[in-house]
Amino acid sequence: MYREFFWDFDGTLFDTYPGMVKAFITVFKDENIDLDESAVYKRMRQTSLGQTFKYYCDQNGLQDPKKMRELYNPVEEKLEENMHPFVGVKDVLERVVDEGGHNYLMTHRNQSSLEMLDGFDLKKYFKDAVTAEKSFPRKPNPASLNSLVEKYELNPENCVMVGDRVLDIEAAHNAKMSGILFDPDDLIVEPVEPEHRIHQISDIIKWID
């Protein structure tokens, strides 16, 4: 059904949320603020990292979410070595390529995403990538997706965006392509209409054309 797969990184290809939540809680704890791990994770999944910073700063009287984000980044980077791909990721990426399709990385994370892919011998399955360094507007703005569609002269009808949050599906639809929502713990309750909703990455194999 699909030949061109656009992949979100955090929470889709790699199980990065444990490290992200740990780093998030650490920087707030340094401000003598204790947060609930499950609540932080849920808010990250249902909104975004930036919105989660804004929410908890507002709740706790901190005036500068940007400063907290700057403190968070080096803490989170130290935890990257413990992050790993979800079960089934390699098999799906490999199958896409074997069937003549292509994989593209579409992430707000920086070049560390490519380094982590390379560390698990997965980077070779990707034709191209858009990371934070390319400074596109953030999802759900479709500019980053559209740039690759135009670069490789793709038909959006053959394209699909795989992500774990509403903004990934909205970005896909804004780019006139389909969306697969990876929602392993059924946390996404906002109105969103992905073409497919899955609990495990291996489910994607049946939609590879």
Side-chain angles (χ1 to χ4, degrees):
M1 185 180 298
Y2 306 113
R3 294 179 57 81
E4 313 296 331
F5 285 76
F6 295 78
W7 295 87
D8 175 50
F9 185 83
D10 291 291
T12 302
L13 289 169
F14 270 58
D15 186 12
T16 56
Y17 280 115
M20 292 169 65
V21 171
K22 184 176 180 179
F24 192 97
I25 289 175
T26 295
V27 296
F28 276 86
K29 192 172 185 61
D30 289 343
E31 300 290 331
N32 297 312
I33 298 170
D34 292 322
L35 301 180
D36 179 74
E37 182 177 322
S38 61
V40 170
Y41 167 68
K42 183 176 181 180
R43 187 163 290 275
M44 282 185 183
R45 280 286 318 283
Q46 293 181 336
T47 58
S48 68
L49 180 58
Q51 291 179 47
T52 303
F53 268 109
K54 185 178 186 309
Y55 173 82
Y56 281 105
C57 284
D58 289 346
Q59 290 291 306
N60 292 281
L62 300 178
Q63 301 301 314
D64 195 351
K66 184 178 179 181
K67 177 185 176 183
M68 294 297 288
R69 180 69 177 267
E70 290 172 352
L71 294 171
Y72 160 91
N73 287 335
V75 178
E76 196 263 358
E77 285 175 10
K78 291 179 180 178
L79 299 171
E80 287 178 355
E81 63 184 28
N82 298 320
M83 298 176 181
H84 54 82
F86 282 101
V87 173
V89 163
K90 180 182 183 297
D91 291 341
V92 172
L93 294 175
E94 189 174 43
R95 178 68 71 85
V96 169
V97 174
D98 287 347
E99 294 297 326
H102 305 95
N103 297 297
Y104 308 86
L105 182 65
M106 192 65 49
T107 179
H108 293 156
R109 185 179 281 270
N110 59 23
Q111 286 284 316
S112 67
S113 56
L114 294 173
E115 293 168 5
M116 284 192 274
L117 285 170
D118 200 31
F120 284 86
D121 200 28
L122 298 176
K123 185 180 175 183
K124 64 185 180 183
Y125 296 115
F126 287 83
K127 184 177 181 68
D128 208 338
V130 171
T131 59
E133 287 82 1
K134 296 192 177 179
S135 300
F136 280 103
R138 297 176 73 84
K139 295 175 288 189
N141 188 300
S144 55
L145 289 167
N146 289 337
S147 71
L148 292 182
V149 169
E150 293 168 5
K151 180 178 180 179
Y152 294 104
E153 300 181 344
L154 305 178
N155 181 351
E157 292 184 2
N158 298 327
C159 300
V160 62
M161 173 80 198
V162 187
D164 68 299
R165 292 178 296 172
V166 170
L167 58 83
D168 296 308
I169 305 306
E170 290 176 340
H173 292 168
N174 289 338
K176 311 302 182 185
M177 63 177 66
S178 297
I180 296 176
L181 179 66
F182 176 45
D183 188 15
D185 32 25
D186 292 313
L187 281 179
I188 305 303
V189 295
E190 290 185 48
V192 60
E193 296 183 0
E195 280 64 30
H196 313 284
R197 184 187 292 253
I198 60 174
H199 290 99
Q200 52 190 13
I201 292 296
S202 59
D203 289 341
I204 293 174
I205 285 179
K206 58 191 170 187
W207 297 308
I208 299 171
D209 185 2

